[in-house]
Amino acid sequence: MRIERIGRDHPGLQELHQHTRWRMETAYALPLIREGSSAYVRNVETDVQLLQAGGHLLPITVNHAEYDNSYVCSPYSTYVRYAQEELYLLKSRLLRKTLGAVLGGIGPLLKKAKIDQNVHLNNWLLSTNLYEPIEPEVLRELTRRLTGEFPGHALIFRSLNPVTNGEMMEALRRLGYILVPSRQVYFFDGRSPDYLRKKNNIWDRKLLEKAPYDLVEHDGIQPEDYPRIRELYDLLYIEKYSPINPQFTTAYIENAHRQRLIHMRGLRDGEGVLQGVVGCFIRGGVMTVPIVGYNTGLPQRTGLYRMLMSMVLQEAAERSMLLHLSSGAAHFKRLRGGKPAIEYSAVYLRHLPAGRRVVWELLSFLLNRVGVPIMRRYRL
């Protein structure tokens, strides 16, 4: 089985363009490899490479100690920085105070254990990574190869859940990976879209039909719209939610749109200005929505977020696909028929020093025993 890493200086980098079976992977990763990750995602400093493993080509990211990175390649940001920001969602003041103290105490321990010295596999630098099926023997061989090439790095598969990745999670567990919970995510099954009959979805669809906006399809989005799409995304995901979310640049939006890596649709007002946008990423027969943005300066009663989500839910039904709608806005998604599932990172540590392994295992234990019950109880 061929296992080969392809980085910026690899002589075969240019030849990858010729492999039509890997068009999506190369169109996505090659610009980040050539120009650097921060040219496309402002708050991500990482070494992007491609890993050929058997019949698969996977984008991978290599990090050492970049603790200010977005959570897309920083476990520290996932389990400390982002968790601290989310404490306000807990209704219990005592629980907020207790968990705040725990996070404050565990942060230095995680840094001492070099938690951000890692290699993320199949990392698309999106809030949710989607997977094509990977054979157990490929997982075994790439684990063996990468632990030899990166003896001081943990190996991580992010964004795994039992709904779409159950077999892969079990295969990784058998290889010695530990499962570390990260968040609760929500699914809508467009293959049997009963959720469209929910009264909230009916109301949202009627709101969209009556709205004074033109629905713009992917091909109707123009180059002059790219800065506006970035602005709308930033208004929602960076300014309203968290600066730890991936901060896409205009160059990222342009590449994703031109190469049709992310299928974009928008709502344009009477003056021709986009006031809302959604971007769908499809892989392995599953759809997710890494780009959502709207003009947050308009009154909430305008209902732009409701309209955008109605567009996404209808698209999942039209494509007859399972929709992975990520985390956040949990109450909103539950009302519209979203089904929850716990998401995990699979982490391989057996080649690391005992002290670093113990800290990761402690984190996994605490999150499985305490974090998951809290997520389920408070419906986060």
Side-chain angles (χ1 to χ4, degrees):
M1 181 187 304
R2 184 179 182 183
I3 304 287
E4 183 177 12
R5 282 192 298 118
I6 303 168
R8 184 177 303 174
D9 300 323
H10 193 282
L13 188 63
Q14 299 299 329
E15 298 175 5
L16 285 174
H17 279 300
Q18 309 304 319
H19 292 274
T20 55
R21 66 180 294 187
W22 293 328
R23 191 206 70 82
M24 185 175 187
E25 292 86 345
T26 56
Y28 196 96
L30 290 183
L32 285 84
I33 293 174
R34 291 181 182 131
E35 301 176 43
S37 58
S38 60
Y40 289 86
V41 189
R42 297 190 301 275
N43 59 341
V44 170
E45 288 288 346
T46 189
D47 179 11
V48 180
Q49 302 179 22
L50 284 164
L51 178 71
Q52 184 178 348
H56 304 274
L57 191 67
L58 306 175
I60 68 172
T61 57
V62 183
N63 280 96
H64 305 283
E66 294 80 11
Y67 296 106
D68 291 329
N69 266 346
S70 168
Y71 59 79
V72 296
C73 58
S74 168
Y76 181 83
S77 291
T78 299
Y79 297 114
V80 178
R81 296 172 63 212
Y82 204 90
Q84 287 172 330
E85 290 187 356
E86 294 284 280
L87 287 176
Y88 79 94
L89 294 172
L90 301 176
K91 296 179 181 179
S92 168
R93 183 179 178 183
L94 176 61
L95 186 57
R96 289 198 304 270
K97 186 174 181 180
T98 301
L99 291 180
V102 170
L103 292 171
I106 203 172
L109 182 63
L110 296 182
K111 285 186 175 181
K112 189 173 182 180
K114 301 179 181 179
I115 193 172
D116 274 5
Q117 186 166 311
N118 56 61
V119 177
H120 277 89
L121 296 98
N122 191 56
N123 192 6
W124 296 77
L125 301 180
L126 301 173
S127 56
T128 301
N129 289 321
L130 298 178
Y131 289 81
E132 299 280 357
I134 305 176
E135 302 82 1
E137 58 270 21
V138 174
L139 294 172
R140 181 185 305 108
E141 182 59 22
L142 67 81
T143 299
R144 185 196 66 78
R145 176 69 176 267
L146 290 178
T147 51
E149 295 183 3
F150 295 98
H153 287 63
L155 305 184
I156 303 177
F157 288 91
R158 192 170 59 84
S159 306
L160 299 173
N161 68 83
V163 176
T164 60
N165 313 113
E167 292 183 4
M168 182 176 175
M169 290 170 66
E170 180 58 25
L172 290 170
R173 190 192 62 77
R174 288 197 299 266
L175 290 173
Y177 285 75
I178 65 170
L179 296 177
V180 186
S182 53
R183 58 182 185 165
Q184 186 157 247
V185 296
Y186 289 86
F187 288 93
F188 294 81
D189 196 343
R191 298 165 300 186
S192 179
D194 295 339
Y195 59 81
L196 290 179
R197 294 199 290 268
K198 293 277 186 178
K199 62 182 180 180
N200 292 86
N201 288 325
I202 294 172
W203 294 340
D204 294 347
R205 188 163 61 251
K206 288 180 178 179
L207 180 66
L208 176 62
E209 291 169 353
K210 296 177 181 178
Y213 300 109
D214 291 327
L215 200 159
V216 183
E217 296 295 342
H218 187 91
D219 291 337
I221 291 174
Q222 304 300 315
E224 54 267 28
D225 292 320
Y226 298 151
R228 178 60 172 173
I229 292 172
R230 179 198 56 76
E231 178 186 13
L232 294 173
Y233 171 87
D234 284 355
L235 285 172
L236 181 63
Y237 269 90
I238 308 305
E239 296 181 21
K240 184 175 180 179
Y241 289 156
S242 172
I244 305 174
N245 284 312
Q247 299 178 17
F248 302 123
T249 66
T250 301
Y252 178 97
I253 300 296
E254 178 178 359
N255 186 58
H257 179 261
R258 287 187 184 275
Q259 298 290 345
R260 297 181 177 272
L261 303 171
I262 296 177
H263 181 255
M264 300 183 191
R265 304 168 78 197
L267 295 173
R268 201 184 294 279
D269 67 16
E271 297 180 356
V273 179
L274 283 177
Q275 297 296 348
V277 65
V278 288
C280 296
F281 181 73
I282 298 172
R283 190 163 177 80
V286 180
M287 187 171 87
T288 190
V289 192
I291 292 179
V292 182
Y294 64 89
N295 185 350
T296 56
L298 294 176
Q300 187 175 2
R301 65 178 179 273
T302 305
L304 277 167
Y305 184 72
R306 290 171 55 196
M307 291 185 235
L308 294 171
M309 289 300 99
S310 179
M311 290 162 58
V312 169
L313 293 175
Q314 291 181 66
E315 182 171 350
E318 290 165 3
R319 291 178 180 270
S320 192
M321 278 189 175
L322 183 65
L323 170 63
H324 184 317
L325 207 49
S326 196
S327 63
H331 182 65
F332 179 97
K333 293 170 184 176
R334 284 177 181 269
L335 284 177
R336 286 155 180 80
K339 305 298 182 184
I342 301 298
E343 187 177 85
Y344 299 82
S345 287
V347 187
Y348 191 84
L349 311 161
R350 289 186 174 180
H351 59 301
L352 298 182
R356 291 178 63 190
R357 294 200 308 268
V358 167
V359 172
W360 267 109
E361 289 163 357
L362 175 62
L363 179 64
S364 177
F365 176 82
L366 289 174
L367 288 169
N368 275 293
R369 293 297 183 90
V370 179
V372 169
I374 288 175
M375 284 187 270
R376 286 176 172 155
R377 178 179 178 182
Y378 288 94
R379 298 188 169 191
L380 299 178

